[in-house]
Amino acid sequence: MKRALKLLSSGNPSAFRRVLLSWYDKHQRALPWRGESDGYRIWVSEIMLQQTRVAVVQQRYGNFLRRFPDLRSLARAPLPRVLAEWSGLGYYRRARNLHAAARILARRGGPIPRTAVALAELPGIGRYTAAAISSIAFGEPQAAVDGNVERVVERLLGGAADPWQAAARLLDAERPGDFNQAMMELGATTCLPAKPRCQACPVAKFCGQCGQRLKRMPTRRRKQAKQAYLLLRRGSKILLQQRPASARLMPGMWELPSAHRTGGTVKMRLRHSITDTDYHVSVFASEGSIRAPLNGIWLALPTLQRLPLTGLTRKILQRLASETNL
Ligand code: SF4
């Protein structure tokens, strides 16, 4: 605790910054958005990373940018194309907000704002995201505190200060973007939630919590649920339905029809996890002359992949494509 208070009360924690940044320079993970200085590309990465694991974002980031390489191309694209490209990342409200913000900026004819205050006025950009974009892309000295940084700061300071204020005092004003990313990297790779790797921590000598037994975080049991879908085929075509525009979750997205009765042949079983729930999914197959419901369409697989599909539907169709010649 004394070490922690000293870190802040010195008023100039330059040794901490130096050690942290030198560790980050040597040990940062190679991620596609690292070293990027274009505001649009950083914005896209920060929105994707809000609620999606790094490993998944790594797979989707490049494709999204190839499809929409700049603000103008994103603003010009119809929303369904953007949602289709977002499929698999989940939390589609982020894609809707990203698209809406791009259109606002395109209408103004202006570039991406360079300050956190102006960025936070756009849809989908909260306090953390605004600070992350402005510091990484434009060098604004703003501390960005996500869940990882909050944990690191609390441990460093023994829970002695407000994480945002403390992070602002620790921030390196010369390299604010790198400093914020270094704090996030420390939280993601070393100062882990359940078992911090204090032996390998570059800033252990500054830390109020180092070597102390941490309070056990209660682990919440994940909910389990069953779902069943129908895979209806007519030749090489598959029937899909659109979710209502008024649906609370994934409005307007396309998916396989639900199976209310679970009789028939099970074509595949899979598990799909969304937030705190694991879905155990059964897909029932049927072929022949089935009439499409009003909000359904028969489509061949290549066409269908260009629709804004729910993540689960995309997963089922990818599995189907890998198992058959569709
Ligand atoms: S010494 Fe341990 S608790 Fe402190 S910041 Fe490093 S990993 Fe976290």
Side-chain angles (χ1 to χ4, degrees):
M1 186 70 160
K2 272 186 189 157
R3 277 182 297 182
L5 291 175
K6 202 171 154 202
L7 174 60
L8 274 189
S9 63
S10 65
N12 181 23
S14 53
F16 173 81
R17 294 174 191 138
R18 207 169 43 246
V19 170
L20 180 71
L21 283 168
S22 126
W23 168 80
Y24 177 68
D25 289 342
K26 285 193 201 107
H27 298 288
Q28 63 178 282
R29 290 167 295 172
L31 298 171
W33 47 90
R34 286 275 159 80
E36 187 57 72
S37 58
D38 177 81
Y40 170 74
R41 298 168 82 89
I42 289 166
W43 177 21
V44 170
S45 72
E46 286 298 332
I47 299 294
M48 285 185 175
L49 288 165
Q50 277 173 359
Q51 283 138 318
T52 306
R53 286 180 300 116
V54 168
V56 177
V57 175
Q58 267 183 291
Q59 291 164 10
R60 309 305 305 277
Y61 180 66
N63 280 350
F64 190 91
L65 289 177
R66 270 187 287 283
R67 181 80 63 189
F68 311 113
D70 50 30
L71 193 61
R72 199 184 300 176
S73 57
L74 180 63
R76 264 203 312 255
L79 179 61
R81 297 293 301 130
V82 178
L83 293 175
E85 207 52 56
W86 198 267
S87 178
L89 288 160
Y91 296 95
Y92 292 88
R93 182 180 289 274
R94 292 178 298 168
R96 292 173 192 277
N97 281 334
L98 184 64
H99 184 246
R103 289 200 159 173
I104 290 170
L105 292 174
R107 271 199 301 277
R108 283 186 204 159
I112 294 173
R114 300 174 70 87
T115 66
V117 170
L119 281 160
E121 287 175 6
L122 293 168
I125 300 188
R127 183 180 182 187
Y128 159 76
T129 307
I133 299 169
S134 78
S135 62
I136 298 169
F138 307 116
E140 190 184 28
Q142 289 278 351
V145 180
D146 67 354
N148 278 330
V149 175
E150 184 170 342
R151 183 175 63 256
V152 171
V153 168
E154 278 178 356
R155 286 175 178 171
L156 280 169
L157 304 176
D162 167 74
W164 278 91
Q165 281 180 12
R169 286 174 66 181
L170 292 174
L171 184 71
D172 188 312
E174 301 290 317
R175 297 176 61 189
D178 286 342
F179 182 89
N180 284 333
Q181 291 183 92
M183 290 287 275
M184 292 174 212
E185 189 78 351
L186 189 69
T189 64
T190 308
C191 193
L192 303 170
K195 285 191 184 159
R197 298 170 55 232
C198 300
Q199 302 295 336
C201 179
V203 293
K205 66 178 176 187
F206 302 97
C207 181
Q209 201 74 57
C210 179
Q212 293 185 25
R213 189 183 282 270
L214 294 170
K215 261 195 275 170
R216 248 180 181 285
M217 308 280 277
T219 47
R220 216 186 285 163
R221 271 180 79 107
R222 295 182 61 76
K223 290 183 221 153
Q224 306 295 315
K226 286 185 179 169
Q227 275 188 332
Y229 287 94
L230 282 173
L231 182 64
L232 302 176
R233 286 172 58 181
R234 187 189 275 168
S236 63
K237 295 189 170 174
I238 292 171
L239 181 70
L240 252 75
Q241 279 182 307
Q242 190 171 26
R243 294 173 65 80
S246 57
R248 191 174 60 83
L249 293 173
M250 298 175 283
M253 306 287 286
W254 291 82
E255 62 184 357
L256 294 173
S258 297
H260 299 295
R261 280 182 303 165
T262 52
T265 318
V266 177
K267 176 79 180 165
M268 73 176 79
R269 293 188 198 278
L270 67 161
R271 212 170 85 158
H272 188 66
S273 299
I274 303 178
T275 56
D276 61 349
T277 307
D278 293 330
Y279 292 96
H280 301 267
V281 182
S282 304
V283 182
F284 293 87
S286 178
E287 299 216 22
S289 57
I290 296 155
R291 276 173 84 201
L294 280 180
N295 61 346
I297 47 171
W298 294 97
L299 283 172
L301 204 55
T303 318
L304 192 151
Q305 298 279 18
R306 292 199 290 273
L307 282 179
L309 302 173
T310 64
L312 174 57
T313 300
R314 185 169 296 274
K315 200 189 256 187
I316 293 169
L317 295 177
Q318 276 168 352
R319 168 97 64 98
L320 184 70
S322 70
E323 290 173 0
T324 65
N325 291 327
L326 275 173

